[in-house]
Amino acid sequence: MNRIISGFLLLLLVTNSAYSATLSGELKDSAGAAVSDAVITATPTQGGLPSLSPQQPKSLDQINREFVSHVLVIRTGESVIFPNNDKTKHHVYSFSPAHRFEIKLYSGVPSEPITFNTPGVVVLGCNIHDWMVGYIVVTDTPYFAKTDASGHWSIELPVNEYKLTLWHENLDEPDASVSKIIKVIEGNSVINDTVSLKPNRRSGKPPSTLQEQGYQSEP
Amino acid sequence: MSSLRFIVIIAGIVVPCSVKAAGLVTTIPYDFEAHGLADFRYLHADSRQSWIDQGLGKFRYAGANNGNDLFRVDKAALVMQARLNWNWTGMVTAKYSNRQKNPVDISEAVLLFRPVSTSAWRLNARLGAFMPPISLENSGTAWSSPYTLTNSAINSWVGEELKTFGGEAQLSYQFASGDKVNLFGAGFGNNDTAGTLLAWRGWSMHDYVATVNDRLPLTTRANIFQLFPRQALQTQPFIEVDSRPGYYAGISLERPELVKFRALYYDNRARTNAIDHGQYGWHTRFWSLGAKMDLPWQTTLIGQGMFGRTQMGRQTRGLFPVDSGFWAESILLSKAIGSHRLSVRHDRFGTTEHDLSVRPVNIEPEYAGAANIEQGHAWTLNYNVTLVEHHQLNFEVSTIYSDRKARLLLDEATGQRETLWQLSYRLIF
């Protein structure tokens, strides 16, 4: 029993030495509504980054002709698979400078993983279903979070000075992102922000009625 | 183009698809999808004899002999789509409509070329029989509108007389934000009679879409056929008369799910002295402008405008036998509340005339049939509700006031108000 407890304490100490601080916050737009699918990354201004350990590829599914999730965050050098859960085919592509690619996805057939070696935002589309849009945010740092439906986010990280960057597809800023330098101290720090968004949010969802889904006669 | 050749092309697309659909062959390497729409109407018409019954009434339905209340199968359409490979898709719309020449016929048949692009530039194309990209309202199955049963004056005319056989290419540049700029252009044949109805009948408002073999009537009660004895009783909208291709070209700017603007110039380049089997060439050209905006609170605003000119016959002393200017505009406001939708549209339209038959003072009866001067406006109010995706109920009232000089020859007052109440059940799959 004692051994178990001391083992647990040791683990706690190790955890604490690696991550001794928690940054969290809530993101709202200027109208007070929660902002989901925003990406917060924290990059240390001094010292290196932990190297990327071998990982299973991340997964970005297509379900009901929609990317699920709408936004995926990965570290530079990680791979992504694109499982097609629909009966129809998908033809996923991107012309973002961070990674130009196209991949043909048959229903239910596992896809080859695609590795993203350049940090940046990769905008995804489907050549068959024009409304589909998704984002892969590729970042060098392992300290990142994505806001949930209620706008909440949380990152555990070591005490240090960080460049904190916020990205959202509709953020009304150049490159849709803003940054600031912060000093992270031990314990919990809360950063609540309000941002202004552009109104042109592309839902990435199919048209709401069957009448408008089943007809494509213009190229 | 002969209808036989057309049918062969269509069969080449449809038959393999049907085989696949029937489950007879499972190894055909393309996807097949079928969608459709059937539309059943109860109508109460307070309107003049319809243009489709050789009158000069603006609606497709009129009470006339059967009283004012009508039940009609408005249309039943099947849209078949086959994904031939990752770049090419075939799409055919076959439909039945009340008063169609052939009970079942093709209204659109295209091959769409959409290769994937990993650069900001993209080149798409379509080949076949299609309507020029003018309507911003008819985005639903088989060119139906999710907003109203009755199309705007502009889009009614597109459905009747503007079907081209040819190829359209579209070059697009897409920004990282999703904004798009598209330049498009097409060369086409089979649209030399476009303008016939607009000149002889004027604008109309309905949802009739002409098919590739269709014939649409001209009024027999005016003096068209005395002035032009070689003119057939019915105009054939999808026909090549002079073997000279036409073109259209345009630009569209789009911020997806927010705003789309489109401008197009069309010229069928028809020879005005050409005639084939009673079908005259009408040299028709026009500008079409449109904008669609998705506003907050699930509200959509669509505005369209068009102006142009159509000429027919051999020019004498600088004047054509028929030379008619035309213009129309519409504005639609629609709000969705869950599965409910409320839409209201205002249309204004008119035609002018500057030709051999002009008699500005006191139209003489022998020329009144060619007095194609018209002015009008209309309101359409629609409420629809869609139940479990497949069932749509529409309640609609449309009222048109129009003034057309040619009605004098039909012993009618030139100014007429017509109103149509419609209750529709649509099955959508």
Side-chain angles (χ1 to χ4, degrees):
Chain A
M1 185 68 180
N2 269 348
R3 206 186 295 165
I4 294 171
I5 288 172
S6 52
F8 179 72
L9 281 176
L10 186 70
L11 184 70
L12 206 62
L13 285 171
V14 169
T15 311
N16 272 348
S17 68
Y19 302 117
S20 53
T22 303
L23 272 184
S24 64
E26 191 183 349
L27 193 65
K28 288 182 172 173
D29 66 14
S30 40
V35 176
S36 63
D37 283 332
V39 175
I40 294 105
T41 57
T43 309
T45 57
Q46 297 140 24
L49 288 165
S51 58
L52 180 69
S53 51
Q55 304 233 357
Q56 288 290 318
K58 296 277 166 52
S59 180
L60 188 61
D61 291 51
Q62 301 106 63
I63 302 171
N64 290 332
R65 295 161 299 157
E66 198 181 322
F67 286 113
V68 180
S69 324
H70 184 58
V71 175
L72 176 72
V73 195
I74 61 167
R75 277 193 77 184
T76 310
E78 277 195 290
S79 299
V80 178
I81 52 167
F82 296 88
N84 179 357
N85 299 281
D86 289 330
K87 284 181 183 158
T88 177
K89 288 172 188 162
H90 290 294
H91 196 172
V92 174
Y93 70 95
S94 175
F95 61 86
S96 299
H99 197 85
R100 297 175 195 274
F101 74 101
E102 54 118 348
I103 182 166
K104 300 173 174 76
L105 300 165
Y106 294 87
S107 173
V109 178
S111 76
E112 286 296 309
I114 290 179
T115 306
F116 294 82
N117 287 319
T118 311
V121 177
V122 179
V123 187
L124 305 173
C126 172
N127 197 47
I128 297 170
H129 306 98
D130 228 7
W131 62 78
M132 286 174 69
V133 59
Y135 299 87
I136 297 178
V137 179
V138 186
T139 178
D140 286 334
T141 177
Y143 313 118
F144 58 75
K146 190 175 80 168
T147 57
D148 61 18
S150 59
H152 287 99
W153 60 275
S154 165
I155 307 174
E156 295 200 335
L157 70 184
V159 168
N160 203 340
E161 188 185 73
Y162 290 91
K163 182 184 177 191
L164 204 64
T165 301
L166 169 75
W167 173 90
H168 185 273
E169 57 182 302
N170 292 329
L171 197 64
D172 198 4
E173 299 284 346
D175 294 331
S177 72
V178 280
S179 296
K180 60 183 170 190
I181 304 290
I182 59 155
K183 274 205 158 61
V184 174
I185 55 165
E186 209 164 325
N188 295 324
S189 306
V190 177
I191 303 172
N192 291 333
D193 266 322
T194 300
V195 290
S196 62
L197 299 181
K198 288 186 281 190
N200 63 327
R201 183 178 169 90
R202 294 167 70 193
S203 66
K205 295 177 188 301
S208 57
T209 64
L210 185 63
Q211 188 184 8
E212 289 182 89
Q213 285 173 23
Y215 187 65
Q216 190 194 16
S217 68
E218 290 175 20
Chain B
M1 169 163 193
S2 77
S3 47
L4 181 67
R5 226 189 317 160
F6 195 81
I7 287 163
V8 170
I9 293 172
I10 301 310
I13 300 170
V14 175
V15 170
C17 306
S18 317
V19 170
K20 171 85 183 289
L24 299 175
V25 179
T26 53
T27 52
I28 293 177
Y30 47 72
D31 294 350
F32 179 75
E33 258 181 68
H35 292 276
L37 179 136
D39 191 331
F40 307 91
R41 301 271 173 93
Y42 167 75
L43 309 119
H44 178 82
D46 181 9
S47 51
R48 308 297 305 190
Q49 184 185 13
S50 168
W51 63 273
I52 216 160
D53 296 317
Q54 288 94 37
L56 284 176
K58 294 293 179 199
F59 288 119
R60 170 179 169 185
Y61 296 106
N65 305 326
N66 307 327
N68 290 328
D69 295 278
L70 306 165
F71 284 99
R72 288 286 183 271
V73 178
D74 183 81
K75 72 165 98 38
L78 187 64
V79 182
M80 291 162 284
Q81 188 179 298
R83 195 162 296 289
L84 306 171
N85 60 31
W86 292 97
N87 297 336
W88 289 90
T89 303
M91 197 279 282
V92 176
T93 302
K95 74 175 180 84
Y96 160 85
S97 270
N98 188 275
R99 306 300 297 269
Q100 203 165 279
K101 181 172 181 288
N102 296 343
V104 177
D105 201 356
I106 304 292
S107 59
E108 274 186 291
V110 289
L111 282 171
L112 295 161
F113 177 61
R114 278 176 61 88
V116 75
S117 169
T118 55
S119 89
W121 293 96
R122 165 187 272 281
L123 184 69
N124 294 337
R126 60 174 165 173
L127 300 167
F130 50 83
M131 285 172 267
I134 293 169
S135 173
L136 290 172
E137 296 182 14
N138 298 73
S139 53
T141 307
W143 211 69
S144 64
S145 163
Y147 310 106
T148 59
L149 299 172
T150 305
N151 288 327
S152 67
I154 293 171
N155 298 336
S156 295
W157 183 52
V158 173
E160 291 165 351
E161 287 207 306
L162 296 181
K163 194 179 318 290
T164 57
F165 185 79
E168 178 186 313
Q170 180 179 291
L171 180 68
S172 311
Y173 184 84
Q174 190 171 357
F175 296 88
S177 61
D179 296 356
K180 279 183 210 169
V181 179
N182 309 307
L183 292 169
F184 58 89
F188 61 81
N190 274 39
N191 208 202
D192 288 333
T193 56
T196 312
L197 282 171
L198 214 44
W200 290 132
R201 180 208 59 191
W203 296 94
S204 65
M205 287 179 64
H206 55 82
D207 64 340
Y208 187 86
V209 178
T211 60
V212 296
N213 295 299
D214 237 337
R215 306 283 191 280
L216 298 171
L218 299 171
T219 182
T220 47
R221 294 165 59 200
N223 61 351
I224 301 167
F225 306 102
Q226 283 112 54
L227 293 169
F228 299 95
R230 295 170 69 193
Q231 169 68 50
L233 290 174
Q234 295 179 316
T235 176
Q236 191 175 343
F238 190 67
I239 189 178
E240 182 60 40
V241 172
D242 60 6
S243 303
R244 184 154 92 163
Y247 72 93
Y248 63 77
I251 185 170
S252 73
L253 311 171
E254 191 176 354
R255 178 162 288 181
E257 294 181 43
L258 195 70
V259 62
K260 180 170 187 168
F261 167 81
R262 189 160 59 195
L264 170 146
Y265 182 73
Y266 166 109
D267 185 346
N268 70 358
R269 296 175 70 244
R271 291 181 211 275
T272 58
N273 52 5
I275 181 167
D276 182 15
H277 291 90
Q279 303 293 329
Y280 281 91
W282 289 71
H283 183 200
T284 298
R285 59 271 193 204
F286 60 82
W287 281 95
S288 157
L289 302 168
K292 177 178 181 176
M293 272 170 277
D294 289 311
L295 305 172
W297 306 294
Q298 288 194 289
T299 306
T300 304
L301 184 69
I302 299 176
Q304 283 185 238
M306 175 183 277
F307 58 93
R309 191 170 183 178
T310 185
Q311 294 162 324
M312 181 270 254
R314 195 175 295 278
Q315 210 174 357
T316 318
R317 302 188 308 274
L319 288 173
F320 286 92
V322 183
D323 185 346
S324 190
F326 55 88
W327 63 272
E329 58 200 24
S330 69
I331 188 143
L332 174 136
L333 188 67
S334 180
K335 177 171 170 52
I337 308 156
S339 55
H340 305 260
R341 181 176 279 288
L342 190 64
S343 307
V344 59
R345 186 183 57 227
H346 183 56
D347 279 84
R348 304 187 73 80
F349 54 83
T351 55
T352 58
E353 186 167 46
H354 182 70
D355 53 35
L356 290 172
S357 60
V358 168
R359 291 292 181 276
V361 187
N362 295 333
I363 295 168
E364 298 161 37
E366 65 266 34
Y367 294 108
N372 299 323
I373 299 166
E374 168 175 285
Q375 205 149 25
H377 53 87
W379 285 95
T380 302
L381 182 67
N382 178 290
Y383 160 77
N384 70 42
V385 55
T386 305
L387 307 166
V388 287
E389 280 201 320
H390 298 285
H391 309 280
Q392 190 185 73
L393 286 174
N394 281 266
F395 303 89
E396 183 171 297
V397 58
S398 308
T399 178
I400 306 178
Y401 177 81
S402 61
D403 188 301
R404 186 169 183 82
K405 301 288 173 272
R407 285 192 178 125
L408 289 172
L409 262 202
L410 280 64
D411 294 325
E412 292 176 0
T414 61
Q416 298 283 350
R417 174 162 295 284
E418 298 169 273
T419 303
L420 181 65
W421 298 82
Q422 300 187 80
L423 172 61
S424 147
Y425 164 70
R426 278 171 167 174
L427 174 69
I428 300 164
F429 61 92

